[in-house]
Amino acid sequence: MADEDETKEYRWESGYEKTWEAIKEDDDGLLESNVADLVARAKRKRAALKATGAIQLGMMRHLFVVVDASACMFLQDLKPTRFLCVLKLLEVFVHEFFDLNPISQLGILTTKMKRSEQITVLAGNQKKHIEALQQLKDLSCEGEPSLQNSLERAMNGLKNMPAHSSREILVLFGSLTTCDPGDIQKTIKALKDNNIRVSIIGLAAEVRICREIAKKTGGTYNVLIDDHHLKELILSQVQPPAVAGSIEASLVKMGFPGGTPSVNDGTSDSSADHAPAYCLCHIDSETSSLMGPNGYNCPQCGSRYCELPVECKQCGLTLVSAPHLARSYHHLFPIKPFIERAQVPNTTHCFACAKLFVEAETNVYECENCHQIVCLDCDLFIRETLHTCPGCASDPVTAQMKTN
Amino acid sequence: MKLNVDGLLVYFPYDYIYPEQFSYMLELKRALDAKGHCLLEMPSGTGKTTTLLSLIVAYMKAHPLDLTKLVYCSRTVPEIEKVMEELRKLMNYYEKEMGMEQNILGLALSSRKNLCIHPSVSKEREGKVVDGRCYSLTASFVRARHAADDAVPICEFYEGFDAHGKEFPLPPGVYNLDDLKEYGQTKRWCPYFLARHTITHANIVVYSYHYLLDPKIAEVVSKEISKSSVVVFDEAHNIDNVCIDSMSVKITKRLLDKCSNSITILETTISNMKENDSKRLEKEYKRLVEGLRDATIARETDMALVNPVLPSEILEEAVPGTIRTAEHFVAFLKRVVEYIKTRLRVQHVVQESPAGFLRDIHTKVCIDRKPLRFTAERLASLIRTLEISDLTDFSPLVTVSHFATLVSTYTKGFTIIIEPFEDRAPTVSNPILYFSCLDSSIAIKPVFNRFQTVVITSGTLSPLDMYPKILDFHPVIMTSFTMTLARPCILPMIVSKGNDQVAMSSRYETREDTAVIRNYGNLLVEVAAAVPDGIVCFFTSYLYLETIVSSWYDQGIIDQLQRHKLLFIETQDAAETSLALINYIKACDNGRGAVLLSVARGKVSEGIDFDHHLGRAVLMFGIPYVYTQSRILRARLEYLRDQFQIRENDFLTFDAMRHAAQCLGRCMRGKTDYGIMVLADKRFSRADKRSKLPKWIQEHLKDTNCNLSTEECVQICKRWLRQMAQPFSREDQLGISLLTLEQLQSEEMQKKIQQRAQGV
C-alpha cells in the first residue's frame, strides 16, 4: 500500500474539478464582470479576516514550530511532497515572522518515530532558523508522530519565558494519528496552566484531538484545502495574537545599540565601541571572523553583534533598533476596515492611486474617518502593507487627532 | 418558540427548528386528526423525539377529549432516559411560557431490575433473579403468611405502597427512573409498583416495546390503557422481529432436563401439602371448576406467570377435568415433557405445523388440545397454590407451558422445527425444538386494533411500503423525510472493485476468493490511512468476520492496518464487546485512532451511536443478507409468499438493506456531524438494492460514486474530508437547515415545506 502511494498521482486519478460551475454568465452573457467579482471577493475576504482589531496584542512572542516528520509526510498530495512543501513555506513564514515580530523568538522541533527532536532552540536569529530548515530537507520521514512528546518538549522550552511575553506553539500536523506515551489530557491541562497557546494546521483531515488541544489552549485549528490555502494558513500565524487577559503588563528593559561610527547618535561615543571585535553571533561557528567597525554593541556590556534584533549573549539584554519597534507598533492600532460601497457617483478616481474608476469596478471603499474613497487594490495595499490610511495622514485634522 | 402547525399552537422548546421537523409535525397532526396509524421516516439526529413530544403534548392540550394518553415505546433504557430528558425540557418550557405548573404527568417504566430500591434485592445483577426475589417478598400468599408469622420476610416498600400509595396519586411532573426511585425512597413506597399503578392515569408513559407487544407482559402492564391513546414506536425498523420473538419459543435438551427436576419438586411439594394442608388443594380444585376469571383478581404481584395468549376466551371456560387436580396436572406435565423429549430424539430435521404436532401428541400420548391450552394458566395457579416463592428455577417449566398453550391456540402463522444438530457442527448432537412465529402481525394486531393512532417511526424505514404489508395494517400517512443540510455532510459511495479491477462482493461464490478478501483488506487499509479518528466496519456475519480477519492476518493486512490505527473486534461475548467499545472510544478520544470490526445485526449495529469523531467512516463489507439456509427463515419466507404475496427475494433484500442502512446511519448523529459511508459490494449499485436505501442517503449518493475502485474512493474521501474540516458555524446553517421563527413563518419557506410534504 505504501508503494502505491509513493507513485506519482496522475491527473486522471484525482476527481473531476468542475471549474466551470463556479463561473456564471452575467445578463449580457459575458463572464468578465463575474470573474472580476470573484477575484475581488476572495481578496477582500482575506483582508477582512486580518482586520479584526484586537485590543492588546502580544508583541513579544515566543513560538515553537513543531513539524511533523512522520511517514505520512512523504505523501504527494502537496507538491513535491508534503514535507518539502511545508519546509519551503516555513522559510517564508520565518522570514515574515521576524519581519513583523522583530522582538520575538522562535524555535523549531520535529516529531517522528514517536519521538520529538529539537532542531533549533528558541532564538531571535532568523538566518539560523532558515539554515536549519534547509538542512531538514534531507531528513527521512518515518514512523508515527507524537503530539504529546513534542508539546511537552516545547512546553519545557516555553515555561520559563517571562510572563509578559506570549507563549505559543504552532504544529504542522500531517498525520491522522498520534502515538503518545501517556495521557495527553494532562499535557493539555499543563499547557493551559502555563498559558501556552497551541495552534495546529492539519494537512489531511480534521483530527479531533487537535481540535480539542487548540480549543482548550485558545489557539486555532485549521485544515488546508490545497497548497495556496496552506500558505495562507501558515502566514496567518505571523500576526501576533490577542493577549489572553491574564498576562500582566510590564516594563521590558531593552537596549538600543548605536549604529556605524559615522552616525553619532550619542548612545555610543567611546572609540572602543568601534574597535575591531569578534561578533558574538558567530563566535561558536568556524566562520567567525574579526569584525570591522561595523556592528552593534550592547549598551550594557559592550558585546558586538552583527545583526539586530538579538538577545545579548553576555547580559541577556534584548537589543533592538527603533525601526523594529515601530514596525510592530502598527499591530496595536490596526486601521479600521474600510466600508464597502457601491460606486459613488461624485468621485471619479481613487484617492490613493488616482486611478479612474471604470465600469467593471463594482465596489469602492471608504475610510470611516476621512471619508476618502479608494479602489480595491489600494484598500488591500493599505491593509496589508501600509498600515495607515493616506487620507487620514494627509488631512491635518485627523492626523492631529491620531497623534494625540 | 411557539409554532402554528396547521392551526394548532405548538410549544417547541428550542429557539431554532429544522424544516423537516416542521413537516414532520404537519404529517403527524394529519394522522392524529384522522385517528389513523402512520409510518414516518426521518433521519437520525434531526430531533425526532422532541418533535413527536411537542406536537403530541400540544395536541393533548388542545383536544383533551380526543387524545388522552401518549404511550412512547423505545428499545433500551438509555433511549428511554433520553426521551424523558426531552420531555422534561418541553415541560419546563411550557412552565416558563405559561407561568404555571402543568397538569401533565409523564413517567418511565422499566423492569424491576432498574427500579428496585429494596436494599438487598436491588443488589442482584440479573433481571430474572430480581423478579424472582421480588416475587418471593411480595406474592399475596407470602404476605398472608407474614400476617400470621412475623418471621417471614416481606418487602417494606411494597407494604408502604400497598398501604398508602394507591390513594395518593403521583403529583404532576416528569419522572424518569431515577426520579421514581428517589420519590420511592422519600415516601418509602416501591417505585416499580407505584409506576405500574400510575400508568393508568399518567398522561405520558415511556417504556419498552415489550410492555405492549409481548402478550405475556402486555396483559399485565398495559391492559388498562384507554383506546383514545396514541402509541409511538420509536426506532421501529425491527418491529417485525420483536413481534416474532415475543411469540416464539425455543426448547433445548437441557431445558427439558431442568423441567424434569422442577416437576419432581412439584410432586414432592404436592405430596407434602396433601399430608399437611389438603384443604388448600381442594379449594383450588373448586375454584378451577368455576373458571379462572376471579383467579386473576387482586393478584397484581403474581405477574411472573401469565398466559402467553390473550386469555379472554379461556377465562370464560372452566379448566378441563383432566388437569384439575394437582397430581393429574403434574402427571400431565410429565407426559408433555417426556413427549417433547422423544420428539427431540431425531436424526434428521423435522418441520411440521402446529396441527400436525397436536395430532401426533394425541396419537402418541393421548393429550387433547384443550388441556394443552390451559397449561400455562394451570401451572400458574398451581404454583400459587403451592406457595412456591422461588420462581427462578421454574422458568424452564414455564417456557414449556407457554409452548404448550401457544401451540394449541394458534394453528396458523406458526411452525415447529426440530433440528438434531447445528449446521455448523453436524456431528455434535444438540437437538433444539423451535416453535417459531412466522407472522409478525399476530403480536401487533391487538395494538393496532385497540389504539386510535399508532405511530411507527425510525431513521431507516425504507422501503416504506413493506411495513404495512408484513404488519398487516393500513396507515393513513406514510412519509419519508430527508435532511436539509447546509453542506453535504454524508458521503455515501459504492466501491465495487479493488485496484486490480477484481469485483468486490460477499456473494457466496466469491466469498472465499483470496482476491476479494485482499481487496477488502486493501480498501480498509487505505481508508484507515486517509480518515482520521474512528472507523467502524460491518461484516455480514460473525463467521465471515472471523474468516476474513484470519486471512488478513496471513496476508499481512492486519499489520499494515495497525500502523495507522488500533484494531478492535466485536465478538459474541457481550462483556468482551463492551470492553472493546470502551477502548475504542478511548483510542478515538486521545487521537490514536481506531478501527472497530463488527457485525451487522450485532449489538454494535443496533444500539450504539458513533457520533462525530467516533465514526468518521462506516464501511459495509458485503450485503448483510440474513443466513438464508436457516429453516426458520425459509419457513417464514414461504409464509410471507403465501399469505402476503411478498416474493422471497424482495423480503431478503428489504431485510438486508434495512440492516445496511442501520449500520450506515451509525455515523451520522446530527447536522454538525459528518461521515463517510462506504458500501463495499458490487451488488449495491443495482437498482433494486440502491432504491431500498433511505431517501436521505440516496439523495447524496451520486451516480458518479456508484462504481468506484479503491483508489478512486480514497481520493474522494481525502478531498471531501478537507472540505468538511473547514470551519462551520451555526450562521452557515441558519436559513437553510436551521430556522428561526421568523424564517419559518416567511412565505417562501412555508411554500417550500408545503411542496416537500406533497412531493413525497
Side-chain angles (χ1 to χ4, degrees), chain A residues 1 4 9 13 15 77 82 144 176-180 184 203-209 211 223-225 229, chain B residues 499 525-526 529-533 560 563-564 589-592 613 616 674 715 719 721-722 725-727:
Chain A
M1 181 248 155
E4 282 162 13
E9 180 199 318
E13 283 171 352
D77 47 0
R82 279 187 191 177
E144 293 100 359
L176 296 174
T177 171
T178 156
C179 213
D180 297 331
I184 196 160
L203 305 184
E206 179 185 346
V207 180
R208 203 197 78 121
I209 193 70
R211 171 136 293 173
V223 177
L224 66 91
I225 292 178
H229 189 218
Chain B
N499 287 338
V525 170
E526 297 209 11
V531 176
D533 299 326
Q560 287 180 33
R563 241 177 271 158
H564 302 292
D589 277 344
N590 67 19
R592 182 67 182 92
H613 65 289
R616 278 288 174 238
Y674 62 92
Q715 289 302 332
R719 198 143 22 90
L721 279 169
R722 284 182 180 167
Q726 299 314 311

Side-chain angles (χ1 to χ4, degrees), chain A residues 217-236:
Chain A
T217 58
T220 57
Y221 177 57
N222 286 299
V223 177
L224 66 91
I225 292 178
D226 51 21
D227 44 355
H228 297 294
H229 189 218
L230 176 64
K231 187 173 178 187
E232 230 166 78
L233 289 175
I234 291 183
L235 291 187
S236 71

Side-chain angles (χ1 to χ4, degrees), chain B residues 402-433:
Chain B
H402 282 168
F403 165 67
T405 306
L406 282 169
V407 78
S408 51
T409 312
Y410 295 106
T411 48
K412 225 183 104 195
F414 286 83
T415 190
I416 295 167
I417 293 167
I418 305 169
E419 288 186 336
F421 44 71
E422 276 182 56
D423 277 348
R424 256 183 258 169
T427 49
V428 185
S429 162
N430 180 22
I432 299 174
L433 183 146

Side-chain angles (χ1 to χ4, degrees), chain A residues 96-116:
Chain A
E96 293 267 318
F97 180 82
F98 283 112
D99 201 39
L100 275 175
N101 309 282
I103 50 175
S104 299
Q105 295 191 358
L106 188 124
I108 298 173
L109 299 176
T110 60
T111 171
K112 66 173 187 178
M113 309 271 286
K114 307 173 182 111
R115 280 191 296 258
S116 155

Side-chain angles (χ1 to χ4, degrees), chain A residues 100-345:
Chain A
L100 275 175
N101 309 282
I103 50 175
S104 299
Q105 295 191 358
L106 188 124
I108 298 173
L109 299 176
T110 60
T111 171
K112 66 173 187 178
M113 309 271 286
K114 307 173 182 111
R115 280 191 296 258
S116 155
E117 267 172 63
Q118 185 136 18
I119 304 300
T120 55
V121 290
L122 269 187
N125 190 337
Q126 59 165 300
K127 258 191 198 159
K128 232 160 124 191
H129 294 305
I130 289 177
E131 258 166 44
L133 282 174
Q134 275 159 354
Q135 278 164 11
L136 266 185
K137 279 179 185 160
D138 303 328
L139 192 77
S140 71
C141 299
E142 52 197 334
E144 293 100 359
S146 168
L147 263 183
Q148 193 187 15
N149 282 336
S150 24
L151 290 179
E152 291 270 358
R153 185 179 276 254
M155 182 164 67
N156 285 338
L158 290 172
K159 238 188 326 204
N160 302 321
M161 289 301 142
H164 56 78
S165 71
S166 105
R167 309 160 185 182
E168 296 165 55
I169 302 173
L170 170 66
V171 187
L172 294 160
F173 202 59
S175 172
L176 296 174
T177 171
T178 156
C179 213
D180 297 331
D183 186 4
I184 196 160
Q185 297 293 339
K186 280 183 195 151
T187 312
I188 298 175
K189 200 169 170 298
L191 286 168
K192 217 178 148 211
D193 293 343
N194 281 310
N195 259 326
I196 297 174
R197 173 200 316 259
V198 184
S199 293
I200 302 177
I201 297 175
L203 305 184
E206 179 185 346
V207 180
R208 203 197 78 121
I209 193 70
C210 297
R211 171 136 293 173
E212 194 181 329
I213 292 173
K215 199 173 161 199
K216 284 193 175 160
T217 58
T220 57
Y221 177 57
N222 286 299
V223 177
L224 66 91
I225 292 178
D226 51 21
D227 44 355
H228 297 294
H229 189 218
L230 176 64
K231 187 173 178 187
E232 230 166 78
L233 289 175
I234 291 183
L235 291 187
S236 71
Q237 298 292 329
V238 168
Q239 299 282 328
V243 175
S246 59
I247 292 182
E248 74 225 51
S250 62
L251 291 171
V252 185
K253 192 171 171 187
M254 280 186 190
F256 294 88
T260 49
S262 55
V263 182
N264 198 348
D265 52 7
T267 47
S268 54
D269 44 5
S270 85
S271 59
D273 283 354
H274 307 300
Y278 280 106
C279 154
L280 274 187
C281 320
H282 299 101
I283 196 93
D284 328 322
S285 61
E286 289 164 9
T287 53
S288 91
S289 56
L290 208 60
M291 284 181 74
N294 294 334
Y296 305 98
N297 294 335
C298 172
Q300 193 161 269
C301 64
S303 320
R304 177 71 63 89
Y305 294 94
C306 62
E307 247 189 9
L308 288 183
V310 72
E311 188 171 333
C312 177
K313 283 193 182 174
Q314 297 284 343
C315 60
L317 191 68
T318 309
L319 306 181
V320 290
S321 68
H324 285 141
L325 270 190
R327 236 190 292 160
S328 21
Y329 186 74
H330 74 258
H331 291 310
L332 295 180
F333 305 101
I335 53 170
K336 281 184 192 158
F338 287 3
I339 307 157
E340 192 173 89
R341 294 211 185 285
Q343 197 153 34
V344 187

